Amino acid sequence: MADIISIRTGAEPAGRLSAGRLRLIAFVAIAAFMIAGPVAEQVFGVRTALLRSWTMFSAIGLGVIDASFEIRRPDGALVPLDRFEMLGAPRNGGLKWIQSREDLASVIRRLCAVAGQGADIRVRARLGIRGGWQTIHTDDQNACAD
């Protein structure tokens, strides 16, 4: 029996990189670039336009108005007011998102009109800004009296 010996004869020319090695080098370079931004800022305190840190959700919630409504019952107790139910509006319609101070004022006017003369509706509203929440309406006075 004869032994078959395989000799590899299609070797690459000296000085050239294989496609697999080029892909590996490209992957390592891109991964290093992606990691360098957060490391530069969080470890060394360096902020540059070239090496940017990762920021998640930087503008989510900006300009959003969070509002809650209460109505005073005849016995003097304040109870939560469901604006959708009171105005007969669907929960996935235009009343779902109050997007501006004008929208908030419109909702308050509509609630006061439906509640009738002499209604006492209290509104707490806040606006999402970069620093957190900014109060735009407090419940210290009757919103229908305005």
Side-chain angles (χ1 to χ4, degrees), residues 2 18-20 29 32-33 42 47 53 58 65 67 76-77 85 89 100 114 136 140:
S18 69
F33 180 74
Q42 294 175 11
R47 295 186 81 166
S53 68
S58 66
I65 293 180
E85 185 179 311
S100 66
V114 170
I136 58 174
D140 58 348

Side-chain angles (χ1 to χ4, degrees), residues 13-78:
R16 296 201 57 194
L17 294 174
S18 69
R21 287 187 189 241
L22 283 174
R23 284 193 296 269
L24 177 64
I25 291 170
F27 171 78
V28 169
I30 291 169
F33 180 74
M34 288 174 61
I35 293 171
V39 168
E41 183 173 343
Q42 294 175 11
V43 175
F44 303 112
V46 176
R47 295 186 81 166
T48 67
L50 180 63
L51 296 175
R52 300 188 51 143
S53 68
W54 297 343
T55 303
M56 292 181 67
F57 312 118
S58 66
I60 299 296
L62 291 181
V64 171
I65 293 180
D66 175 38
S68 63
F69 305 89
E70 293 179 323
I71 189 166
R72 188 171 305 276
R73 292 192 312 203
D75 65 359
L78 282 172

